[in-house]
Amino acid sequence: EAQVTQNPRYLITVTGKKLTVTCSQNMNHEYMSWYRQDPGLGLRQIYYSMNVEVTDKGDVPEGYKVSRKEKRNFPLILESPSPNQTSLYFCASSLGWGLGQETQYFGPGTRLLVL
Amino acid sequence: QQQVKQSPQSLIVQKGGISIINCAYENTAFDYFPWYQQFPGKGPALLIAIRPDVSEKKEGRFTISFNKSAKQFSLHIMDSQPGDSATYFCAASYAGAGSYQLTFGKGTKLSVIP
């Protein structure tokens, strides 16, 4: 089944304790992205990647890191989480960009609570 | 910052009625306008999308109307059903050099009551 998977689905942590949220897709997609969803703010892009070893900042990158060492994986790293990073996080992927390839396929989400 | 403004924030519609959600954008370079549907506990999923070379696109009960001169586009859900109750996001993007982002509106929570 074509899908985007995220782990963990739920996470409670404390301020300053490094964490990683994994994202994997099995569709051989070039483009991958991380979004956070907050009430009243919609979906805001954190980072995106056009291909292996190619990443760029989205609209809200502060406090986050990403890496793209393999085409299928795009982990989101919070080096020192803070309470304002409590949110619902979505990973998404698409075939590419432009020419009808932009359709984003979203994972099921990771709900993070930082105490 | 590129923006897509979406309204209303929430919408209650009677079963069988028409749901209308509106979006406005600023960047005239945008050339792709999708709508995503999100059910509680799930990730968003593409519902329907349009490019500015057409003014309307229909898929079943869902229609996008696009007004290029006004820089506005809207989603119409005909014969709304309780199963349509979800959050809807409009979005916009363009395939320009160095621009690989999908900008989302803030979402509209639709409730269709029996």
Side-chain angles (χ1 to χ4, degrees), chain A residues 31 37 40 45 100 102 104, chain B residues 36 38 43-44 51 100-101 106:
Chain A
Y31 183 96
Q37 183 175 10
Q45 191 176 48
E102 310 97 322
Q104 300 286 292
Chain B
Y36 282 79
Q38 183 183 29
R51 295 198 183 271
Y100 307 104
Q101 291 183 256
K106 294 186 177 182

Side-chain angles (χ1 to χ4, degrees), chain A residues 23-36:
Chain A
C23 172
S24 183
Q25 50 91 6
N26 62 0
M27 296 171 278
N28 200 35
H29 283 174
E30 302 270 336
Y31 183 96
M32 297 187 74
S33 181
W34 277 102
Y35 298 89
R36 61 178 289 174

Side-chain angles (χ1 to χ4, degrees), chain B:
Chain B
Q1 182 179 358
Q2 300 174 357
Q3 285 189 342
V4 177
K5 295 183 178 179
Q6 183 172 347
S7 63
Q9 191 171 2
S10 63
L11 181 62
I12 300 174
V13 173
Q14 204 87 28
K15 178 182 175 182
I18 302 174
S19 303
I20 302 174
I21 304 170
N22 300 299
C23 283
Y25 61 97
E26 298 172 354
N27 189 343
T28 55
F30 284 147
D31 63 2
Y32 175 67
F33 302 89
W35 285 88
Y36 282 79
Q37 180 187 54
Q38 183 183 29
F39 292 106
K42 303 290 186 183
L46 179 69
L47 181 64
I48 187 173
I50 197 169
R51 295 198 183 271
D53 53 339
V54 296
S55 60
E56 186 175 282
K57 183 174 181 179
K58 184 176 181 180
E59 291 185 1
R61 296 184 294 108
F62 300 91
T63 299
I64 299 179
S65 296
F66 183 78
N67 186 329
K68 190 173 182 178
S69 60
K71 293 189 287 186
Q72 295 175 347
F73 59 110
S74 60
L75 175 70
H76 296 236
I77 306 174
M78 311 299 287
D79 187 25
S80 298
Q81 298 296 313
D84 297 329
S85 297
T87 299
Y88 293 82
F89 293 97
C90 63
S93 69
Y94 69 97
S99 174
Y100 307 104
Q101 291 183 256
L102 194 57
T103 300
F104 285 89
K106 294 186 177 182
T108 297
K109 185 174 182 180
L110 172 65
S111 299
V112 181
I113 54 176

Side-chain angles (χ1 to χ4, degrees), chain A residues 9-22:
Chain A
R9 294 289 313 280
Y10 304 92
L11 180 59
I12 301 174
T13 190
V14 295
T15 298
K17 186 176 181 181
K18 181 180 178 179
L19 66 91
T20 299
V21 183
T22 65

